Amino acid sequence: MDIELSQKFENFIKGKTKIEDFESWVYTNEQLENQLSPEVYTELISLNFHEPSARFEVTKLVKDEIDYGRLHTASLIALLDKLIQREGEVVDLLYQVYDFMNLGYNFLGRLNIFGNFGEQGKSVILLIDETMDEQTKWDKIVYHEPDLVRELTILRDKISTGRILLTGESYSNKYLGEQFEFVEREADNKRSCCTTPPKSKQDR
C-alpha cells in the first residue's frame, strides 16, 4: 500500500479522523481495491462503521497491509524538514517528533532538544510561553540550541540515505506498548548497531 493510503489508515487508527469521514473515504476511494488484498478489501467495505469497535476492527484488518517502514521514514523526514525550514508551529512539531521517539526510535533522543524533552530545568520546551508569537518561540529555541539546525540536518540525511533505517518491524513492550525497530549503518552501509528488541516479539 502506498504512503498516502497508509497515512489515511494510520490517522484513522490513531483517532485523528472522524468515523463518518473515514467511512465516506473508504466507499469513494478508487485505489483501495487495487492496493489491498481482496479479502481485506471485502471485509473493510462490509464493516459497520457505526459500531463502537469500528476503529479496532479496521486496525486488525489493515495493520499488516501498512508498510510502516516507508510510512514512518517519509513522515519523519517531512517533520524534520519543517523544523529545519521553520515551517509551522514549533511546539507542535517538537511534540510530533517526540511521539516518534516514544514509538521506539530512541536515536532521536541523542539530540538534547528531544532527549531532555519535558525534564524539569533541562527542556527548552519549558522556556516557551504560549503568549509568545511564533517567531519569538523559534528564536528562543535556536538561542538555547544553537546547533539544532545542523543536528537536524545530519539526522534527516542519515534517515533519507538509509544510514538510519526504519525497518517497519515492531514488537510489544509491557511498559511502552508497541515499539518499532531501527538499524544504524556506517557510511559504507555495514550494520553498526540497532535497537535491542526483546528475544521474542511477544509481550514480556
Side-chain angles (χ1 to χ4, degrees):
M1 180 162 37
D2 68 29
I3 292 175
E4 184 179 352
L5 292 185
S6 295
Q7 188 67 68
K8 288 281 190 181
F9 278 110
E10 186 171 57
N11 286 345
F12 177 71
I13 290 168
K14 290 184 174 180
K16 296 180 180 180
T17 308
K18 293 180 180 178
I19 297 249
E20 55 269 26
D21 292 339
F22 180 76
E23 180 182 20
S24 175
W25 175 76
V26 166
Y27 293 144
T28 58
N29 191 285
E30 298 177 353
Q31 301 177 54
L32 282 178
E33 187 171 7
N34 293 326
Q35 295 209 30
L36 296 174
S37 64
E39 298 80 7
V40 170
Y41 178 74
T42 300
E43 289 191 51
L44 180 65
I45 62 173
S46 301
L47 281 178
N48 181 351
F49 290 96
H50 301 287
E51 289 288 336
S53 61
R55 287 188 201 274
F56 175 72
E57 294 299 329
V58 170
T59 302
K60 284 199 308 181
L61 277 176
V62 304
K63 187 171 180 59
D64 291 338
E65 303 274 326
I66 297 174
D67 185 341
Y68 282 102
R70 288 181 62 218
L71 175 60
H72 288 174
T73 297
S75 299
L76 187 51
I77 288 173
L79 198 49
L80 295 175
D81 274 335
K82 287 182 178 179
L83 280 165
I84 292 166
Q85 301 298 328
R86 294 194 183 193
E87 296 177 355
E89 298 182 4
V90 63
V91 174
D92 179 58
L93 295 175
L94 293 176
Y95 271 105
Q96 288 183 55
V97 177
Y98 190 67
D99 286 342
F100 271 103
M101 196 166 79
N102 284 338
L103 287 177
Y105 301 131
N106 51 37
F107 60 85
L108 294 165
R110 295 174 199 156
L111 276 64
N112 287 336
I113 198 165
F114 305 122
N116 296 333
F117 202 90
E119 287 192 32
Q120 190 67 33
K122 291 184 178 181
S123 177
V124 67
I125 205 77
L126 299 174
L127 302 174
I128 300 299
D129 185 338
E130 287 306 311
T131 63
M132 297 174 181
D133 61 48
E134 202 60 35
Q135 183 63 50
T136 303
K137 292 177 184 178
W138 281 104
D139 290 345
K140 185 170 283 289
I141 285 174
V142 173
Y143 175 80
H144 287 277
E145 298 279 354
D147 291 331
L148 180 61
V149 170
R150 182 182 65 83
E151 291 176 343
L152 289 171
T153 302
I154 292 171
L155 183 59
R156 179 203 58 193
D157 291 347
K158 284 184 176 181
I159 297 170
S160 62
T161 59
R163 289 176 62 190
I164 296 179
L165 177 67
L166 313 188
T167 69
E169 297 293 324
S170 66
Y171 60 93
S172 179
N173 181 285
K174 183 185 297 184
Y175 304 104
L176 302 175
E178 186 175 35
Q179 298 285 282
F180 285 86
E181 298 176 21
F182 68 92
V183 173
E184 291 193 73
R185 293 184 169 91
E186 304 280 358
D188 62 3
N189 214 35
K190 291 182 180 178
R191 177 171 170 163
S192 60
C193 66
C194 60
T195 53
T196 308
K199 292 181 180 179
S200 82
K201 297 283 184 181
Q202 296 179 352
D203 197 354
R204 291 184 294 178

